Amino acid sequence: MAFRFRRTVSIFPGVRLNLGKRGVSLSAGMRGANVTMGRGGLFGNVGIPGTGLSYREKLNKRNSGGNRKSSRAGLPSSRLPPLAEQIAQVRLNTTTGDIAILDSDGSDLGQDALNIAKEHAREELENMLHQQVDAHNQMMARIGAIHLDTPAPDAFPEMVPEPFETPSPDKPELRKRDWLAFICPARRQAFEASNERNRNRYQRAYLQWQQEKAKHEQREATRTALYEKASNGDITAMESVLDDHLMDIDWPRDTELSFELSEDGKTLMVDVDLPEIDEFPTTELRVYQRGIGISVDELSDTASRKLYMAHVHGMGFRLIGEGFACAPAVATVVLSAFTQVPDAATGGVDDKYLYSVEVGREAWSRIHFDNLDTLDPVEALAALELRRDMTKTGIFRAIEPF
């Protein structure tokens, strides 16, 4: 079968927090989270990946007397120990629960620096630990439940307009003639020349803003037309909408995939490069009820494999659903999921296919998409045309894909 193109997209992970740039910071979760403490106080900064949006807030605001608020005492900043000036990061290891205090070069400052953070920002650190432990545990829950947002096959995605957020340039405040300008021609000319330069600068900036706004509006009009064509089965438009929509999916783990649409638009083939099982987090965390610290519960090997099994099948289930929803003309989706394993004979890397599934739109439509919380994606894919060699505890052996 001939295919029109091949495209690879990257599906980015779930929420990643980046907190602070100066002082004490705290890292937890997949890529970490930071809280900063220094001369300016304790700050938290949260960013939403892929949007450019972020939020920064001072956590221990100064009181009217200029002293720093803390859970133990309002200690003036001048009385902070000298070592506090070196603190740049506090990194939480979500595998072991260890907290490391680092300087700006990433060097461990040791237990003394941790004691300083506990002493002068205890309440804030406790709050951040609770937040990040909750985020880690929620991520663990999401890993096994990524199929819950799968759309029904007739639920074509709605185009969400992107607003033009660049503000228009402000009009310049022109200089007013003073009394000397009325009697001095040279001064009057200088005022007029200055005002003319400001007007010209504003006009150029405003013209550029208008051009950028017009380009944005044209792009949005093109997107609107593209979605309209895709909803009516236009092959090129379906390719573009599927590409854009897959890029917007927020997976809890890094995942790459490629897809191919047949020339007649009836068959969609998807290859998913699955994350490796040893890349998965295997811990559940709890904050100490007393003191500063994290207790770590390690998942058993069987529990880890079952979590991985739920994730990789839920991922395939979700992608099949997105394919049918974004491409109304597609009658069949063929999805194959693989991992990359080292080849001891060559030193290279081979693709190991874990499962491959072929499903028609009619069979897919029989799933109750309003009741996905009771659906097991492992069993759901098994009810379709599936190639898979897997034990009940999630040990896979390689198969030949469709």
Side-chain angles (χ1 to χ4, degrees), residues 299-315:
L299 297 181
S300 67
D301 290 343
T302 299
S304 296
R305 288 197 300 270
K306 287 186 175 181
L307 179 64
Y308 181 75
M309 179 173 59
H311 177 77
V312 298
H313 287 84
M315 180 187 302

Side-chain angles (χ1 to χ4, degrees), residues 86 145 326 380:
Q86 302 180 43
C326 293

